[in-house]
Amino acid sequence: MPLEQILTGISGYDPNADLELVRRAYDFASRAHEGQTRRSGDPYVTHPVSVAEIIAELKLDIASVCAGLLHDCVEDTTATVEQLTTLFGKEIAFLVDGVTKLGKLPWSTKEEQQAENFRKMLLAMARDIRVILVKLCDRLDNMRSLHHLPPEKQERIAAETMQIYAPLANRLGIAWIKVELEDLAFKYLQPGEYEQLAQEVQKTLAERNEYIETVEKLIAKEMHDHGVPCEVVGRAKHFWSIYQKMKKTGRTFEEIHDAIGFRVVTDNQMNCYQALGVAHQTWTPIPGRFKDYIALPKPNLYQSLHTAVIGPRGERIEVQIRTREMQAVAEHGIAAHWKYKEGKPVDSDKKFAWLRQLMEHQKELRDPTEFLESVKLDLFGDEGYVFTPRGDVKALPKGATPIDLAYAVHSTIGDHCSGARVNGMIVPLRYQLRNGDTVEIITNPNQKPNKDWLNLVKTARARTKIRYLLRKEQRERAIALGKDILDKGLRKKNLTLARSEKDLDHAARELRLGDSDELIIQVGYGKVTVQQVLEKLLPGDTKKADEPERKEKKTEGMLAQLIRKVTRRQSSSGILVAGDADILVRFARCCSPLPGDLVVGYISRGKGVTVHRRDCDKGLDLDPERRIDVSWDGHGKGSHEVAIQVLCADKPGLLATISQSFSDQGVNISQAHCRATENGRAVNTFHASVKDLDQLKGVIRALSRIKGVYSVDRVSAEAPS
Ligand code: MN
């Protein structure tokens, strides 16, 4: 009887457990699911019983075991949460309710919905981690019996398992569930590859077992000879990890020599290091493969020493060294920290800092897609460790930059992070931190986050803080621009912004915009036009002016109206400022932007907006407060002056060929400076007018093909050379 097995199991780890409660839960579930069968034909209740069995294997508390037995009652039978509360108490009813809700989240739908569901899952996890643990056990039993389901369902459930549940098990440190979920999912997602690998493993099984036994004995002998008490276990890695390794290294199964891992389990930490010494003394260690997760535990609390050595037959051997307690944590993760009092793991809040942090972010990020994007890395990415100059350790995801670290230390440090010293050397903000780097953040009170930082950071924390600040700044810029635009408009009617505040409040209400501040912002964003505001401020005045036009409009055909709409979006400059075509624009001489270039605008009071190329140094130096989004309106017209520098051999006739090449591309040269250098070369700078970036690229391509031309570069039109 499986129930009796579960009960025996529970009394093994929790002698005071109320086994009667478990019996009652079992009876209730059996009656509730009476008459229902699984796809396999077994009575339905065998599923919750199997789930409860897995929960007991994790040594979780009685409430979790009962929740496992009852987890499908609310979903699939007439039982209600209220009923469960009366019969089994609030705690168990809450867990069942949580698992039921999680089960209803459809993962493989639209990204947006997936994000929202993901957030709900994390919320459930933060409230009571047991909800997720029960859900994981439920998923494991479902995966074990997946062969009874139709193929479409198999694939969907396997994909969801690979994407969500296996990484989650990993994050919670429950290695054996992670491994089993991955192999089961692999089997259904890539049946061909799985089958082939399984056969290859099977073929070499006898040989492997013999090898494992030999090496186990060898390691154990060395350890014992050096006075390190331990057990040594060798084990083939799970299929999914071998397959990943084959894919990553492009090797075949026979060529993967470290598909077997050896584990040395000893009694205390000192002996772990002792064992490491023995291993390195006996066999040659492979550089770069040693990792000390004892001194620096992984965020999921995993601890162990990892190394790889050249083994007795000249092959690579991976060795993991740990204590018995570490072994328990490595297998059971969060569940190994369980104490049966408050219904949550000891110090789970403190130890699972990542969980608490995720919760903080979800408060700040209201857009679920943004939230998903930012936590996915935190949850499922690889980590490394860096040190602060004081020796504090910070765990950061792979590819993290000094900005991530700065925000991990404090948000003010993040906001003013201007660079970093890594292992004593100055590095730029885009530097990707490496495991073990010592990093000192350099701050500058004038530094501020900009949009590009979003491409540099990897942590949710940094991303959230930067977005928040950028939004705030964008709003401030919109206010500045809105005031400028409104003021100009008002002056034409002999009004000023300062004197019209009250009237603006009124106009804002009429336009349903709250107050004058909001109105100014909307003008700044180009969502409300000055004309709209004037109509509200001076109803009589503008009506008169508008009347003839309105009449005209009525007589216009649909097509004409459409054309008006389209042409109105065109600007004389070819640039839209915050979507608006009517704003005064000039092009910066330092970088001479062309239609097609990535551009950015800077508001200069009284002079409208100056447009720079996005990579222009001078632009980057300008006050980011005044930065504003600009774009080309897509009707490239007019011509733009650019400067092109051509380095070539100093030989007769070449200049003529070059200028011919310009004319071939339909481009006129307006100025040319030519200068011979000492080494028989010539530097020529041509100023020419081009339509857009494509035309410039055409010219550069043509020039580069000329024999005797060494290099062709677009240069600043401002600097004489
Ligand atoms: Mn279930």
Side-chain angles (χ1 to χ4, degrees), residues 53 67-68 76 99 122 147 159 233 307 377 383 398 465 492 545:
E53 213 174 338
D76 298 336
V99 176
L122 288 167
H147 54 280
V233 185
T307 190
L377 256 170
E383 288 101 13
K398 217 177 188 173
K465 299 283 177 195
K492 279 184 203 153

Side-chain angles (χ1 to χ4, degrees), residues 281-300:
Q281 201 180 321
T282 314
W283 300 287
T284 309
I286 297 163
R289 296 290 298 273
F290 169 60
K291 288 195 184 94
D292 187 346
Y293 292 119
I294 291 182
L296 302 169
K298 287 192 185 182
N300 67 11

Side-chain angles (χ1 to χ4, degrees), residues 98-331:
V99 176
T100 308
K101 282 182 184 145
L102 276 188
K104 282 185 186 155
L105 302 181
W107 284 111
S108 20
T109 51
K110 275 182 289 175
E111 170 100 346
E112 209 173 292
Q113 203 177 355
Q114 188 178 353
E116 183 51 28
N117 291 336
F118 195 74
R119 186 161 79 145
K120 282 189 186 140
M121 180 150 174
L122 288 167
L123 276 174
M125 197 148 95
R127 281 178 68 189
D128 196 321
I129 200 114
R130 290 176 299 178
V131 171
I132 302 291
L133 294 175
V134 174
K135 184 69 205 166
L136 270 179
C137 297
D138 177 32
R139 176 50 60 114
L140 182 55
D141 189 59
N142 287 336
M143 285 301 292
R144 284 174 177 173
S145 39
L146 202 59
H147 54 280
H148 294 297
L149 294 190
E152 331 77 76
K153 271 198 166 179
Q154 287 177 348
E155 207 186 316
R156 183 181 61 77
I157 295 174
E160 201 179 272
T161 300
M162 199 62 114
Q163 278 168 26
I164 307 284
Y165 290 99
L168 211 51
N170 180 44
R171 231 356 166 135
L172 295 168
I174 313 169
W176 68 273
I177 291 190
K178 170 205 167 219
V179 161
E180 195 175 336
L181 287 179
E182 280 178 348
D183 271 1
L184 285 165
F186 178 32
K187 186 172 155 186
Y188 292 99
L189 289 174
Q190 287 162 280
E193 286 86 345
Y194 179 90
E195 199 43 51
Q196 197 188 346
L197 185 57
Q199 274 175 22
E200 280 175 310
V201 170
Q202 187 60 35
K203 250 194 310 205
T204 52
L205 197 63
E207 191 187 319
R208 263 162 198 275
N209 283 340
E210 189 238 289
Y211 171 78
I212 289 175
E213 213 175 302
T214 315
V215 177
E216 273 175 2
K217 278 190 189 139
L218 205 63
I219 297 177
K221 185 178 179 306
E222 286 296 332
M223 293 297 162
H224 291 135
D225 285 354
H226 289 84
V228 182
C230 65
E231 292 116 51
V232 182
V233 185
R235 214 171 40 175
K237 291 189 176 150
H238 70 299
F239 288 174
W240 178 243
S241 85
I242 298 175
Y243 179 69
Q244 291 292 96
K245 200 154 212 167
M246 285 164 58
K247 248 182 32 188
K248 211 163 112 188
T249 58
R251 295 200 194 130
T252 63
F253 175 67
E254 287 86 47
E255 292 167 320
I256 299 280
H257 296 298
D258 44 7
I260 296 164
F262 290 89
R263 193 168 291 158
V264 176
V265 180
T266 179
D267 52 358
N268 62 47
Q269 206 164 303
M270 267 324 287
N271 276 332
C272 291
Y273 291 101
Q274 185 80 27
L276 177 77
V278 174
H280 282 185
Q281 201 180 321
T282 314
W283 300 287
T284 309
I286 297 163
R289 296 290 298 273
F290 169 60
K291 288 195 184 94
D292 187 346
Y293 292 119
I294 291 182
L296 302 169
K298 287 192 185 182
N300 67 11
L301 310 180
Y302 174 89
Q303 284 187 296
S304 199
L305 297 176
H306 287 191
T307 190
V309 296
I310 307 291
R313 297 182 191 174
E315 75 292 1
R316 287 163 170 243
I317 301 180
E318 276 184 21
V319 187
Q320 301 175 342
I321 303 165
R322 53 179 82 143
T323 66
R324 257 169 231 113
E325 292 80 59
M326 293 173 193
Q327 169 67 12
V329 174
E331 281 303 307

